[in-house]
Amino acid sequence: VVDCIEGVRMQTEIVLRQALAERIKPVLALNKIDRAFLELQLRAEEMYQSFETHIDKLNVLCSTYHNEALGKCTLDPTKGTVA
């Protein structure tokens, strides 16, 4: 779970690293999306770019801590690994 405003935090990285070590494929849930609309009043394009940045950062972490036995584990909204 990643806050859509604050993004990837140290705890997220630690949990992801542990999950990959245990051969658990990650799934990303973007949380608090309403804050982007109500508090920050971001436009749709700005929100999309922010989400894409968070996904890219997590994919870098996935490739950094990749476990060969796990196989490919990239996060991709078109493959159902981002909610």
Side-chain angles (χ1 to χ4, degrees), residues 30-45:
L30 290 167
N31 195 19
K32 301 180 184 177
I33 294 175
D34 59 323
R35 289 183 61 202
F37 286 113
L38 301 174
E39 293 176 24
L40 301 179
Q41 298 181 353
L42 294 177
R43 294 177 307 166
E45 182 63 27

Side-chain angles (χ1 to χ4, degrees), residues 1-2 4 7 17 20 25 35-36 38 46 50 55 59 61 65 70 74 77-79:
V1 176
V2 173
C4 76
R17 186 176 61 226
L20 293 172
K25 286 195 176 191
R35 289 183 61 202
L38 301 174
E46 292 171 319
S50 174
I55 293 167
N59 278 329
L61 290 173
Y65 301 115
L70 185 60
T74 56
T78 63
K79 297 198 185 331

Side-chain angles (χ1 to χ4, degrees), residues 2-81:
V2 173
D3 184 309
C4 76
I5 303 300
E6 294 179 10
V8 179
R9 300 299 214 168
M10 182 60 71
Q11 184 177 357
T12 306
E13 183 176 346
I14 292 167
V15 171
L16 179 62
R17 186 176 61 226
Q18 290 171 341
L20 293 172
E22 294 290 327
R23 298 183 191 156
I24 299 171
K25 286 195 176 191
V27 175
L28 171 62
L30 290 167
N31 195 19
K32 301 180 184 177
I33 294 175
D34 59 323
R35 289 183 61 202
F37 286 113
L38 301 174
E39 293 176 24
L40 301 179
Q41 298 181 353
L42 294 177
R43 294 177 307 166
E45 182 63 27
E46 292 171 319
M47 285 187 15
Y48 174 80
Q49 290 173 352
S50 174
F51 297 163
E52 197 171 54
T53 300
H54 298 322
I55 293 167
D56 289 343
K57 285 180 183 179
L58 285 167
N59 278 329
V60 167
L61 290 173
C62 284
S63 64
T64 301
Y65 301 115
H66 184 253
N67 184 330
E68 290 296 326
L70 185 60
K72 189 175 180 179
C73 66
T74 56
L75 298 166
D76 185 349
T78 63
K79 297 198 185 331
T81 57

